[in-house]
Amino acid sequence: MKITTIATHYVRIPFDMGAPKQEFAGLRFPTMDHLLVQVETDAGITGWGEAFGHSIIPATRAALETYVGPWFIGKDPTDINALHREAAQAFHIFGRNGPVVYAHSGIDIALWDIAGKRAGLPLSDLLGGARRRHVRAYASLMRYATPKTVGRIAGEMVARGFRHVKLHEHSIDAVKAAREAVGVDVALMNDVNCPWSVAQALEMERALRPSRLHWLEEPVWPPEDHVGLARVRSAGTTPIAAGENAAGLHDFIDMFQKGSIDIAQPSVTKIGGITELRKIAAAAEAHAIELVPHCAYFGPGNLASIHLVAALPTDTLLENIYANLEASPFGTAMLAKEGKVEVPSGPGLGIEPDMQVVEKYRQGPAGTVR
Ligand SMILES: [Mg+2]
């Protein structure tokens, strides 16, 4: 089998989040943007992937269309492991993190979709079997900033059946308001996206202790300061989560060895796809670190994350961003009901995109590499 064509679809979908949108992690979110990656083969099987993401999509798309995609044309899509290694070596001088790796991630996800379709099995079966037909999801809230609004939205998530709620807030008052709204029995997490020095992070971790966070995510700038992160973890009492900005397996190994984290959060559309994420899952298990993948997207990367979480031996959590999309090419597949998301049962990722929705929300024509 050979890869014949790779198409890219830049889809931008309006959404609302129950309150005015705030800037965070240096990003604005006027729409939820996805880069869908469609890999065609000479066997007539099409695979879908997703490459990260949001405001960087034009750069990811350029990397995919000019360099990463052409490299894959003519290659055998069934040779996933060896092809992943070969591609990573071919691209390494252009950076081990960022748009080139995001583009590679999108294609790798599509190759696993093709593998599932060839086998006639859902991706979770290829990954060793889905222990559960539904995965537990945590509501991951956008930034709301105002404590009153943070409390209101966090409370709404509990009313919808979530038992785990994650904030993206920088103020102690906002976290406190959320804790008061969700009560003592709901797990509350806070993701701050790398804002603080180690000294500031130590101080903030202490100040946040009364809110009894289930985890504090990315407290330290820069994300590659694994020693600084380890200092915050060892001095504090709050579990520490990180990994969405890591560069591959070896960045995680370094964090495990330095004692930086309790929870590893590789992102399937950023880290090198399913192939790289599987290796990180095995390494995390070997170091007794919990794995909760980063999943701040709504395309095939989200579907892949559902299957990955379903196939893990431990009953871990799936990130579920709270954003009411105007429409989705994947229908309601990623929506949580009573805090759980169903594992798709079709072959591969399990759900094909609705091309009418893709075309309606696509920014310009599809890009094509052949
Ligand atoms: Mg995060």
Side-chain angles (χ1 to χ4, degrees), residues 131 165 169 188 204 214 260 271 279 344:
R131 164 62 59 90
V165 177
E169 301 298 333
L188 185 67
M204 288 301 286
H214 188 64
S260 311
I271 199 73
K279 296 176 192 179

Side-chain angles (χ1 to χ4, degrees), residues 46-355:
T46 299
W48 287 91
E50 179 177 5
F52 201 71
H54 305 298
S55 323
I56 204 66
I57 284 176
T60 303
R61 187 180 193 181
L64 200 153
E65 290 177 5
T66 61
Y67 190 75
V68 176
W71 187 91
F72 276 94
I73 299 295
K75 300 285 198 305
D76 178 355
T78 68
D79 188 21
I80 297 177
N81 285 339
L83 208 51
H84 187 275
R85 165 77 59 87
E86 210 183 316
Q89 284 189 318
F91 308 150
H92 83 275
I93 58 166
F94 302 116
R96 296 280 292 144
N97 201 346
V100 169
V101 186
Y102 304 164
H104 183 193
S105 304
I107 293 173
D108 182 82
I109 294 167
L111 300 191
W112 280 94
D113 188 30
I114 290 168
K117 287 167 177 166
R118 278 177 71 222
L121 293 170
L123 173 60
S124 47
D125 279 30
L126 297 194
L127 298 173
R131 164 62 59 90
R132 40 200 85 80
R133 292 319 319 166
H134 292 82
V135 295
R136 293 185 304 154
Y138 73 82
S140 186
L141 306 185
M142 308 285 282
R143 174 159 299 149
Y144 293 92
T146 318
K148 202 174 150 198
T149 313
V150 175
R152 174 171 65 82
I153 303 286
E156 277 178 33
M157 295 305 113
V158 177
R160 286 171 191 232
F162 285 101
R163 304 303 296 162
H164 300 78
V165 177
K166 187 172 90 178
L167 315 172
H168 286 88
E169 301 298 333
H170 283 174
S171 82
I172 309 236
D173 285 349
V175 178
K176 206 172 141 193
R179 174 51 82 195
E180 279 164 14
V182 303
V184 292
D185 295 333
V186 168
L188 185 67
M189 298 82 90
N190 193 31
D191 180 0
V192 291
N193 301 102
C194 310
W196 300 318
S197 67
V198 173
Q200 289 170 322
L202 285 164
E203 197 177 313
M204 288 301 286
E205 188 279 331
R206 246 191 326 270
L208 287 165
R209 279 184 210 172
S211 292
R212 282 167 290 109
L213 290 176
H214 188 64
W215 75 61
L216 176 62
E217 183 169 331
E218 292 200 305
V220 170
W221 174 260
E224 58 271 30
D225 183 4
H226 300 163
V227 170
L229 202 56
R231 281 178 58 203
V232 176
R233 178 171 174 249
S234 69
T237 59
T238 312
I240 299 293
E244 68 181 81
N245 291 303
L249 169 68
H250 289 81
D251 241 4
F252 278 93
I253 297 284
D254 193 58
M255 284 192 274
F256 299 159
Q257 289 176 343
K258 292 193 167 114
S260 311
I261 54 174
D262 297 280
I263 296 115
Q265 300 174 302
S267 185
V268 73
T269 66
K270 298 178 78 177
I271 199 73
I274 293 166
T275 307
E276 192 75 7
L277 208 148
R278 288 176 83 204
K279 296 176 192 179
I280 294 161
E285 188 178 345
H287 289 84
I289 304 287
E290 193 182 346
L291 190 94
V292 183
H294 170 257
C295 181
Y297 26 77
F298 296 85
N302 189 307
L303 296 173
S305 301
I306 297 171
H307 286 283
L308 282 156
V309 166
L312 287 171
T314 51
D315 186 9
T316 193
L317 292 165
L318 174 77
E319 180 166 20
N320 193 257
I321 297 275
Y322 173 56
N324 297 310
L325 304 188
E326 188 175 283
S328 166
F330 300 92
T332 57
M334 295 156 206
L335 296 183
K337 280 199 198 94
E338 288 303 309
K340 290 186 172 178
V341 175
E342 192 174 354
V343 183
S345 56
L349 295 173
I351 296 163
E352 291 296 290
D354 179 338
M355 290 312 289

